[in-house]
Amino acid sequence: IESATGFQQRDDTLGRAYRKIKKKWLLHLALLMHDLGKALTPIGEWPRHIAHETRGLAAVEAVCARWRVPQEHRELAVLACRFHTTVHRGLELRATTLLELYASCDAFRRPARFKELLEACECDARGRLGRGRGLRSFDDRLRLRRGFRLRLRL
């Protein structure tokens, strides 16, 4: 894990964002497991990984069960696997889709976990080569958080 998180020493936007995150191990597990569904993509569909979010859910659950991962960690890993591509498209989502996302993530009862999901998705997007700066996904995350806050006020 330490070698995969060498950016924590960096003095750029990603390094500063990483140092602000409080539950780093929770986030690490979600990041390590969010794309497990790509390993289950049939060879004929490569290099695309269509529906890898849903394909990976059983794999995430199996790994968590095998290693007796605490429930809080398992839940975030499952959410990251299932919804990371939806979060990455945050600026494109309709209001009804946003509400479905919030409801599916139980964001109204557990806003802290929803925030952790958004942090995991931001780290996923920032970790891609050539996408660390000027990242659109950061705007996606901000839209999802603002929409969520507005919904809580209603």
Side-chain angles (χ1 to χ4, degrees):
I1 296 282
E2 194 61 37
S3 64
T5 59
F7 57 80
Q8 64 189 337
Q9 305 303 326
R10 292 171 31 179
D11 194 35
D12 60 0
T13 305
L14 180 57
R16 286 190 298 273
Y18 179 82
R19 287 189 293 275
K20 289 181 185 177
I21 297 169
K22 294 188 178 13
K23 296 181 178 181
K24 290 180 176 65
W25 285 108
L26 183 66
L27 184 65
H28 288 177
L29 181 71
L31 288 170
L32 286 170
M33 297 176 59
H34 80 278
D35 272 340
L36 282 182
K38 287 184 176 183
L40 303 173
T41 301
I43 293 174
E45 294 180 15
W46 288 3
R48 298 171 61 202
H49 298 282
I50 299 167
H52 76 280
E53 307 85 358
T54 52
R55 278 190 184 124
L57 293 175
V60 171
E61 292 281 4
V63 168
C64 289
R66 168 66 178 92
W67 292 102
R68 297 186 184 136
V69 172
Q71 183 161 339
E72 176 185 23
H73 293 62
R74 181 187 60 79
E75 288 174 352
L76 183 60
V78 167
L79 287 175
C81 180
R82 174 65 188 95
F83 294 110
H84 70 280
T85 55
T86 304
V87 171
H88 293 323
R89 294 182 297 109
L91 292 175
E92 303 165 13
L93 301 178
R94 295 172 299 152
T96 54
T97 308
L98 284 173
L99 284 175
E100 290 170 8
L101 172 66
Y102 300 147
S104 297
C105 294
D106 199 17
F108 301 116
R109 288 188 330 111
R110 301 182 68 185
R113 186 178 69 179
F114 185 68
K115 181 183 176 195
E116 292 163 354
L117 170 64
L118 297 180
E119 289 172 345
C121 293
E122 182 180 354
C123 288
D124 170 41
R126 287 187 184 277
R128 296 179 189 166
L129 290 176
R131 297 205 42 203
R133 294 181 184 225
L135 186 66
R136 192 180 143 258
S137 183
F138 184 69
D139 295 331
D140 295 335
R141 178 181 164 211
L142 288 176
R143 176 175 185 233
L144 291 171
R145 288 184 77 182
R146 285 184 191 132
F148 180 64
R149 286 187 195 132
L150 289 172
R151 179 66 183 133
L152 285 178
R153 290 182 190 157
L154 296 179

